[in-house]
Amino acid sequence: MRVAASVNYIMAAGVYVVIFVTMRPDVDPAVIAIGAMTGVLYICNLFLFAAVMKRIGIVLTGAIMSLAVVVPVAVSIAFGDPWRDKAAGLVVALVALPILASARASHRGEPIAHGIRRWLWVTLLFFAAGMEGTLLKLASEVGDASYQWTFLPALFLTAAIISTPVMLRAPLRAATRWDVLRGALLGGCNVVANFAMTIALLQLPGPLLFPMRHVGGVMGTALLGWLLWHERLGRRAVIGLILCAVAAVLLTW
């Protein structure tokens, strides 16, 4: 995990720093600052996601992360993006969140945490995941049409600088070439996906784009959690997942 995460951010940072040096875009201090803040958030969320997964399981964690799309959507509305046709989806998403937060599941036969601490973890995850999209939207509003060439290098360079000593601090046990390969694959996904998002934000309104980003995330994560990690979901969790998928479709419609 540590090796893959470090390689991921180092690779993405290397690609975008080379592009930055090659293209020599106009340097916007505000966009660089937002990119650096997003890089710090990426690292913090990496640990937060892992902590929440241990407490409520990967399926519900993925669903709540997808529901966090409500946060950047709300920010997009504040910036004047069209939203009235998204109202139904926003309402369904807000209904689905407490259902998922209170749902029960099991992970490899072990009960998953519940109670007030569970609600605190869920709330923290919701807003932390939502802040990633929020900062991306903010960068697109503050910067010009080429903001991505300063935002993305700042993001991944900051993430690489912070993550490398943190990830490699503990002794590396049984690290293999496959760990490096997985990190490189993840880094490639980060390079392409984040570039696509920054470009899309110049063409599409946030209330459409952010739900599109997550529309497959809920059901895909649920399917993988069921097939690979044998998580069992209660009736309330299934209802919450269905509402989450409905909310994503309504928001994207």
Side-chain angles (χ1 to χ4, degrees):
M1 175 66 179
R2 294 192 305 273
V3 173
S6 296
V7 171
N8 155 50
Y9 289 123
I10 291 172
M11 175 182 173
V15 169
Y16 280 118
V17 167
V18 169
I19 293 175
F20 177 84
V21 173
T22 303
M23 297 191 65
R24 297 181 181 179
D26 294 334
V27 176
D28 188 333
V31 173
I32 291 178
I34 297 172
M37 291 171 58
T38 309
V40 173
L41 185 64
Y42 267 36
I43 302 302
C44 294
N45 281 355
L46 182 65
F47 290 100
L48 176 61
F49 297 162
V52 176
M53 281 182 188
K54 290 180 180 179
R55 288 162 174 81
I56 69 173
I58 189 171
V59 174
L60 297 183
T61 299
I64 291 167
M65 288 169 59
S66 294
L67 281 175
V69 71
V70 171
V71 179
V73 166
V75 172
S76 298
I77 292 172
F79 276 114
D81 287 359
W83 66 276
R84 295 187 185 279
D85 58 336
K86 313 293 184 234
L90 291 171
V91 170
V92 174
L94 291 175
V95 171
L97 180 62
I99 293 176
L100 284 171
S102 60
R104 293 188 177 185
S106 63
H107 178 55
R108 294 175 180 171
E110 299 177 0
I112 294 180
H114 56 276
I116 189 169
R117 289 188 177 181
R118 174 195 181 93
W119 280 92
L120 292 174
W121 280 109
V122 166
T123 303
L124 180 60
L125 175 65
F126 177 80
F127 286 105
M131 277 301 298
E132 290 187 4
T134 298
L135 289 174
L136 178 56
K137 176 63 177 178
L138 183 61
S140 70
E141 292 290 334
V142 171
D144 57 18
S146 62
Y147 80 99
Q148 67 272 17
W149 302 126
T150 51
F151 174 78
L152 292 172
L155 188 165
F156 286 110
L157 186 60
T158 301
I161 291 173
I162 296 175
S163 68
T164 301
V166 172
M167 298 296 179
L168 302 181
R169 181 179 60 183
L172 298 178
R173 300 184 181 90
T176 67
R177 71 181 69 177
W178 298 111
D179 297 322
V180 176
L181 180 61
R182 282 189 286 267
L185 178 61
L186 183 59
C189 291
N190 257 328
V191 168
V192 176
N194 281 276
F195 174 72
M197 278 295 295
T198 57
I199 295 298
L201 270 173
L202 297 173
Q203 309 294 330
L204 300 171
L208 170 64
L209 177 61
F210 289 110
M212 285 178 62
R213 185 183 187 184
H214 294 280
V215 69
V218 179
M219 303 313 297
T221 303
L223 180 62
L224 289 175
W226 174 59
L227 291 175
L228 301 181
W229 292 279
H230 308 293
E231 291 190 0
R232 297 179 179 179
L233 301 177
R235 182 178 300 176
R236 186 178 297 178
V238 173
I239 293 173
L241 284 170
I242 292 173
L243 286 176
C244 190
V246 170
V249 171
L250 289 175
L251 285 166
T252 310
W253 196 261

